[in-house]
Amino acid sequence: LFYLFDFATLFWQAFALLWVIVVVQGWIVLPALGLAGPVWTWGRRAVVTELLHKIIYAFATVSFFFLLL
């Protein structure tokens, strides 16, 4: 059923879209509101850690959503 309706493609598209939305929110909106400093002041380790956390968050969220389908 997962491949019958091409949910595999939809899964990765939803994952990529959610990841982009979360990254934009963290890297643009928060500094614009003064809640965080600019991304280039964070350091490499902080940026990589945040990217990995947001990848895990997006994957888990989309996975759970598709389990509900």
Side-chain angles (χ1 to χ4, degrees):
L1 189 62
F2 191 76
Y3 292 101
L4 180 64
F5 295 108
D6 199 22
F7 282 157
T9 303
L10 287 174
F11 176 87
W12 292 112
Q13 289 174 347
F15 166 73
L17 181 62
L18 180 62
W19 183 75
V20 167
I21 290 170
V22 171
V23 167
V24 166
Q25 180 267 336
W27 287 6
I28 295 175
V29 175
L30 291 177
L33 294 174
L35 299 174
V39 178
W40 55 88
T41 63
W42 293 359
R44 183 184 319 229
R45 184 176 173 141
V47 170
V48 170
T49 302
E50 183 173 351
L51 284 175
L52 289 175
H53 287 166
K54 290 182 180 187
I55 286 171
I56 293 168
Y57 168 75
F59 186 81
T61 303
V62 173
S63 296
F64 185 71
F65 175 76
F66 273 84
L67 284 174
L68 291 175
L69 295 178

